[in-house]
Amino acid sequence: MSWKQTKDAPFFVGYLNAIPRQLVSFLAVFAVCFVGGLGLAALALSSTQNDPGNGGFQWGNRYENKGLLELRPYPVFRVPADGDTPARSYMLAGQGKRGVFSQTESNEGNPVMVRGVPVNRGDLTMIQVGRVEASEDQLGGFTPAEPVPLGRWKLTGEICDGKCYAGAMRPGRGLAHKACADLCLTGGIPPVFVSSGPVENRNFFLMADKEGNLLGDEIKPLLALFIEVEGDVERLDDLMVFKVDLATARVLK
């Protein structure tokens, strides 16, 4: 079959200023379809990503409750069971990139009222503390349960600062967030291990060293990296604690 170019067929010549009308229409339709296709591709890709926080700070849902403050080894707020609602343990953060060690140390073991703003992401909830007040309510003689050991685990995932990952900043993880995470952890925000695999259906773990103490600068070279590390896991009410043995940590590629 032979094909013959006719004088009426549109043809673009680079050194001419005019573009045939038929080609202009084609390019306009192509551009609209191309941009629309990119939008659909972006929507499809974003739907496969983890939720970067359920709205971050829940300003319209201020938190207020009575319980006990403890260091485990980072500040946590232990709330007694109430009817069908089981006891809970919340990680705590202060304003900005600061922890709440001073408020916890001065009130540890005494009933308090904590007021603040929750930050949520999935089943991870952290309370940004606004005020801690002594409470005359003795909480019915509430005695927090001891941690339940769940054995030694080898987990893969990423070390994040709990406040930003919970939704205070987005995405709250990865190399783009490394510098911010470093500042938050230095300021006393609890570190969280985000595991790629669950333990008892939980993927978020408050971190401590293998002895259950605070982690220091030794975790900074591991921030924002996908790592594998071993340690003991404990359940503190509904909060998981991962006591990591950093000597076993290795970066995965």
Side-chain angles (χ1 to χ4, degrees):
M1 177 182 294
S2 63
W3 179 84
K4 183 178 180 181
Q5 173 75 33
T6 68
K7 65 177 182 179
D8 295 326
F11 188 76
F12 173 71
V13 180
Y15 57 80
L16 297 179
N17 292 327
I19 300 176
R21 181 176 301 174
Q22 297 93 324
L23 292 183
V24 172
S25 300
F26 168 78
L27 289 174
V29 173
F30 174 80
V32 170
C33 293
F34 182 72
V35 172
L38 288 179
L40 291 175
L43 180 62
L45 181 62
S46 64
S47 67
T48 66
Q49 304 304 304
N50 289 330
D51 181 8
N54 183 22
F57 286 109
Q58 305 298 295
W59 296 111
N61 184 26
R62 297 299 179 100
Y63 182 83
E64 181 177 310
N65 213 337
K66 296 175 182 178
L68 299 176
L69 292 170
E70 294 183 352
L71 292 171
R72 289 281 184 170
Y74 294 86
V76 295
F77 185 48
R78 308 290 301 276
V79 178
D82 182 12
D84 295 332
T85 303
R88 294 201 63 180
S89 293
Y90 294 95
M91 287 183 286
L92 301 177
Q95 306 288 328
K97 299 181 182 298
R98 298 190 302 273
V100 289
F101 282 94
S102 60
Q103 297 98 313
T104 304
E105 290 170 349
S106 60
N107 292 283
E108 189 168 15
N110 298 317
V112 294
M113 170 72 78
V114 169
R115 293 183 173 89
V117 180
V119 195
N120 299 102
R121 182 171 186 165
D123 57 14
L124 171 63
T125 299
M126 178 171 284
I127 307 299
Q128 177 178 278
V129 176
R131 182 178 299 178
V132 175
E133 300 174 345
S135 173
E136 296 181 358
D137 187 348
Q138 295 303 306
L139 308 175
F142 171 54
T143 301
E146 290 298 315
V148 178
L150 301 177
R152 189 170 181 86
W153 290 75
K154 179 186 290 186
L155 301 178
T156 58
E158 181 180 337
I159 300 172
C160 303
D161 74 272
K163 183 177 180 180
C164 288
Y165 187 80
M169 294 284 286
R170 302 187 183 192
R173 67 183 306 176
L175 290 174
H177 193 73
K178 181 178 176 66
C180 182
D182 194 335
L183 289 172
C184 286
L185 296 182
T186 299
I189 302 295
V192 169
F193 191 79
V194 182
S195 175
S196 59
V199 176
E200 292 197 351
N201 298 317
R202 304 302 291 267
N203 293 85
F204 308 121
F205 303 82
L206 172 63
M207 296 183 67
D209 73 7
K210 64 180 181 180
E211 305 298 334
N213 300 316
L214 295 173
L215 288 162
D217 291 343
E218 64 271 20
I219 67 171
K220 291 186 177 181
L222 300 173
L223 290 177
L225 300 173
F226 190 63
I227 66 171
E228 176 185 83
V229 65
E230 296 182 24
D232 295 317
V233 175
E234 298 177 342
R235 186 178 66 246
L236 190 67
D237 299 326
D238 62 329
L239 177 65
M240 292 295 201
V241 180
F242 189 25
K243 298 163 66 175
V244 297
D245 181 358
L246 290 180
T248 67
R250 66 185 185 96
V251 177
L252 302 178
K253 297 181 179 179

